[in-house]
Amino acid sequence: EDFMRAVILEWDEHLQSMKFVSDVLMYLNRVYVKEQKKLLIYDLGIELFKDNVIKHNHDEVGQKIVEIVITEITRNRRGEVITTTMYITKLINMLELLVESGGSADLQQYGENYYQTTFEPAFLGNSETFFYNFSQELVNYKLGSRYLREAAQFVKEEENRINFYLPSSTYPKLIDLMNNIIIKDKIDDIISLPYEQQGLSYWLQPVIGNIFEDKNDSHHFEELRILYQLIGRFADDFQLLRLRLKSNIISQGSQLPEFVKTSLQNAGEKKTTYNSTAFAIKWIDTVLRYREQIFKLSLESFQSDPIIEQTITYAMRDFINGNGNNRKNSPIVNAPELLSIYMDYHIKQKSKPSPSKDVNSDSTESIEFLRFIKDKDAFEANYANHFAKRFLNSKGTTQNGNANNKLGVDLEELILSRLGEEMGTTSLAKVIKMNKDIKSSKDTTSDWRKYTIKNQVPDLVELELKICNVTDWPKSMTKDYKSFSKSDTGEIQFIWPKKLRTTMGEFEEFWFSGKKNDNKSLYWSPKFGSMDMRITYPSRTYEINLSTYAGIIMLLFAPQSSNADGSMELTYNEIQELTGIPEADLKRHLQSIAVAPRSRLLVKSPMTKEVNDDDVFRLNESFKSPSIKVKVLTVSAASSVAPTRSKPKTEQEEEAEEVQSNIAEGRKIEVNAAIVRIMKSRHTIRHNELIEELIKQLQNRFQPSILLIKQRIEDLIEKEYLKRDEEERNLYHYVA
Amino acid sequence: FLDSNNYNLQRAVDAYFNSPSSKKSSAPVFDKALVAIFENYRDEDNESQIDINGTMQYLEDLEIEPEDPQSLTLAFFLHSPRMGVFSKSQFLKQWQQYGINSIDGMKKFLAQYHESLLYNEENFYEENSNLGYGKKEPVTFKKLYDFTFDFLMEVENQKLLDYQTAIDYWTLLLPLVVNTAVKDGSLQPDKRATVESRIEQWFEFVRNEYKRSFSKDSWSMFYLFFKDIIIKDPEKFTDYDEMAAWPSVMDEYFEYLRENELLEELV
């Protein structure tokens, strides 16, 4: 300190006297110096000072100054308070003024000064070691959060320090050095620290924790913000952060199904499969909440940086579609199907009398989710399936103009139009046509009602129509539509009860009387729909709503259809003979009306859960129910199959499989069409270009696998649409 | 001809060359001895072809076993439309072309022709209508290989070859390819055993995993796959690229090898 003070004093005095000398010799300065191109007196004085004081005795004083200044700054960096601030500034100023290589007068302002030649390199070298040691020390704590905080703190202080002491030319150099050593070289290690040492996975943990444990862990916004800022110091595109963030999100996302499963199990759900409704709803809710959380985080910590949000979106898309890193394992969750189930559930909820939540927000959420799904065609197929079921199984309510049902239909339409916006209307053509069918069914129903009133046809059953164009509805439902027709080849035919036959005959007459139905054929399908019946039991008369099949079974027991008194009995085989209902369906519906505890309309003996061929059924005389209206729920296909009989697949699984194979079939056609389209315009194309082009064209619908594409190419070669070049095996020609 | 074509010279010339009588007059006169040989084996019910019985007899006289690859070469040389059948026109035309009219000559010629094919010496030329009228190109083993597929088609419009037959004929053909490769130096003799075990693994894969029929494209590409990938580096398949245009069955084969750890891992 004393040394510094002495040097500065000397320097000041020297400057002062030089000024006087310069003033006195002003004339000399103006004339002689200019003519001779010598240094100005003042500058000459500084030169002399440098040579005789600072550099005297092999730079002794100069070295000492440099050494002292650096030591002082280092002390300051360590957080010690130093008193020499003023001196440091002054000394550095002085060093800057000491022009090195005092050549001619023109050069002097560009010439290097002592600061640049001697002080700066020494200082930078020293800083490097310091930064290195400093960061190493921090890393050794093995605590990510701590590293971040301290590094950020240090960086801030250092910036101030540099601003204060050092000339602006050094600033960028030093900052660069600091960024490289403290941040760039270390930050990846820090981010990748395991959870216990508070790496990125630790900072992101609350995102999941908040969803499942319902406690509001505070997010590590602070750390992440620092992280963002630190990384932003040296890389504008946040490459590293994005990379690590992505892998973290994917690994978190891939855990979600497990979490969902366990949380469902804790909630008392016994059997949870990866495609049950409960799972679908919970999973999608979870994912949506996850998204919400992570974007909140992005807002708080990453200033909603678009590049980072894009990364987040990609990462989420990856885990939702289940193709993170292991492309071989098929994803455990089938996102398109689950989303469809989810939407199905919500639409059903909405159409019930208690319209609680906001419909709009819900469908928005669904659409948001849809954006993540890559295989849109799979979603469409599933959605169409659910849509059809909703319609066919919906209870007839038009006669009382039920507002709820109207809401349901509006809801369908609303969602349909939103889906249309998202995916384009062509891909939804089938669902839209189905929707049209529904409308025309309504019209036909009301026309029919007018017709019956006008014609006063006696003895008719009230009818609500659901007419579907076979081609537009999912195959799994329409495949056997003909088997119920009368004109079939005479295999197991379905026998409509007499009561209904009159009505049906009358309707057929009505149907074909209009001109518009000339070229359509009409098939009745008892598989869907429901009936309202009034059954008088000894205790009371009930209005019962039940499925068509069950209704037809009940009609067998109605007094009108038998000669005997009320106590008639029928065996299983007799029922089957009288109705012609396929075995699996018949057993299922018999279980619904004879085994299910709340709707035991019939009595079955022996009273077992399973329906056997020689079981006997009769009307349950002691049937009781608290309300007049009774709704018979059909036993689900899965549970109607007794566990002891190890039937390989339940009906649901079969249906899911069918949907899957439909999707696969559809894809084949789409790929073929796309190949032909490309070949038509290109005529000759290389294998890799073709694949690239195909993926580009199809990615809005689904992600075609290379294998699928190759098989399609082979298929087209076989069908002679394409030809492989005779010489060049990677080249295809279009065969017109 | 001018009369009948209203003195339109162009049409008259066309008519002249197209008329059946002119063809007959320009048709080559076949060597009597050659025709006699044909008649010797000819089908009793059909005078324009030799059927399976005749073929068996013919092969016997040529001292070729039916399992000998040379029988395939013969079928290829005579453009046999399918197994055990030779047509009269091709039979006469092909032998006449080389001026051969004796069983002995045929025997010698066939041996030469077979050698030439095997080692792709390109000593013999065939017309190829795809290249233009009268253009000729050398006969190569690949041609014989591709011909085999068509030759094995039994019914009209058959497009697939069932895998058992395919394996039978590979058993016949692939060793020839291996021999050639050893001879021309593209395969080190000490790697021969590896290639042979690859063939076995291919058969196992086709028999137990793939179990489907082969299209002409897959059949034809397998020869290239065998030559360019398997023979080139039987241990590691270095040149294999799953992004290349190999038919999917080869990709599946590669996967099969990898899953069963039959492949030396690429470094």
Side-chain angles (χ1 to χ4, degrees), chain A residues 24 40 126 134 295 300 334 352 424 438 440 442 509 729:
Chain A
V24 170
L40 290 170
N126 178 277
F134 174 74
F295 273 96
E300 292 285 331
N334 183 347
K352 276 184 185 163
I438 295 175
S440 70
K442 290 229 166 76
E509 217 166 90
R729 61 174 171 252

Side-chain angles (χ1 to χ4, degrees), chain A residues 346-497:
Chain A
H346 278 282
I347 291 170
K348 276 188 193 154
Q349 290 297 307
K350 295 293 142 46
S351 21
K352 276 184 185 163
S354 55
S356 52
K357 259 208 287 178
D358 182 21
V359 178
N360 234 334
S361 78
D362 220 62
S363 60
T364 312
E365 281 185 355
S366 302
I367 302 258
E368 295 276 7
F369 196 87
L370 180 62
R371 293 214 178 104
F372 289 122
I373 288 180
K374 283 177 176 169
D375 294 342
K376 297 220 170 48
D377 61 339
F379 169 71
E380 275 160 39
N382 279 300
Y383 187 78
N385 218 355
H386 283 124
F387 180 86
K389 273 199 192 152
R390 279 199 295 277
F391 169 60
L392 289 172
N393 294 334
S394 71
K395 200 182 142 195
T397 34
T398 22
Q399 61 254 52
N400 26 5
N402 196 318
N404 293 323
N405 190 42
K406 226 172 120 204
L407 177 79
V409 174
D410 287 348
L411 185 70
E412 294 282 6
E413 236 161 77
L414 176 83
I415 290 181
L416 209 52
S417 74
R418 308 242 351 214
L419 288 177
E421 278 166 33
E422 189 60 33
M423 315 203 288
T425 39
T426 43
S427 52
L428 283 169
K430 284 209 164 165
V431 186
I432 291 169
K433 278 189 198 149
M434 278 157 65
N435 202 27
K436 267 192 198 139
D437 279 354
I438 295 175
K439 278 190 193 146
S440 70
S441 299
K442 290 229 166 76
D443 294 345
T444 321
T445 308
S446 66
D447 284 353
W448 162 248
R449 198 158 286 139
K450 280 181 208 147
Y451 173 85
T452 49
I453 293 168
K454 205 172 76 189
N455 294 4
Q456 294 293 331
V457 198
D459 205 21
L460 285 185
V461 177
E462 223 177 296
L463 201 57
E464 192 206 341
L465 295 151
K466 288 170 181 175
I467 301 162
C468 313
N469 269 316
V470 173
T471 45
D472 296 330
W473 292 71
K475 276 213 186 72
S476 54
M477 303 183 170
T478 54
K479 61 181 172 188
D480 48 2
Y481 68 99
K482 277 186 176 165
S483 60
F484 304 108
S485 75
K486 294 168 189 165
S487 58
D488 220 68
T489 43
E491 290 163 34
I492 309 167
Q493 272 192 27
F494 183 71
I495 302 152
W496 292 92

Side-chain angles (χ1 to χ4, degrees), chain A residues 69-205:
Chain A
V69 170
I70 290 178
T71 325
E72 286 299 299
I73 292 184
T74 309
R75 275 178 57 205
N76 186 225
R77 276 180 181 153
R78 288 198 199 288
E80 293 172 33
V81 181
I82 50 170
T83 49
T84 49
T85 326
M86 279 302 292
Y87 302 126
I88 294 175
T89 327
K90 277 203 173 155
L91 276 175
I92 287 174
N93 274 335
M94 175 189 90
L95 293 179
E96 267 190 290
L97 281 173
L98 295 176
V99 176
E100 199 74 54
S101 75
S104 66
D106 319 332
L107 282 175
Q108 57 174 271
Q109 62 220 70
Y110 305 110
E112 302 225 299
N113 53 42
Y114 191 78
Y115 171 80
Q116 278 165 328
T117 50
T118 314
F119 181 76
E120 198 179 81
F123 180 65
L124 287 180
N126 178 277
S127 300
E128 193 176 329
T129 5
F130 179 81
F131 292 154
Y132 183 79
N133 291 335
F134 174 74
S135 61
Q136 206 56 48
E137 223 169 88
L138 284 185
V139 168
N140 287 341
Y141 287 124
K142 296 270 180 219
L143 271 183
S145 306
R146 179 163 177 181
Y147 185 92
L148 279 188
R149 282 177 207 280
E150 298 206 354
Q153 178 70 21
F154 179 79
V155 165
K156 210 162 118 201
E157 282 172 9
E158 185 69 13
E159 270 176 357
N160 283 336
R161 201 159 22 237
I162 301 167
N163 257 334
F164 191 69
Y165 297 129
L166 301 177
S168 54
S169 62
T170 313
Y171 184 81
K173 293 183 198 158
L174 196 63
I175 297 287
D176 249 15
L177 197 67
M178 179 167 75
N179 287 345
N180 279 336
I181 294 174
I182 298 191
I183 306 171
K184 205 170 171 179
D185 294 351
K186 294 288 176 326
I187 205 77
D188 195 24
D189 296 345
I190 298 297
I191 289 178
S192 311
L193 282 178
Y195 177 78
E196 302 78 45
Q197 299 181 10
Q198 305 190 350
L200 185 62
S201 54
Y202 170 79
W203 302 320
L204 290 176
Q205 183 54 34

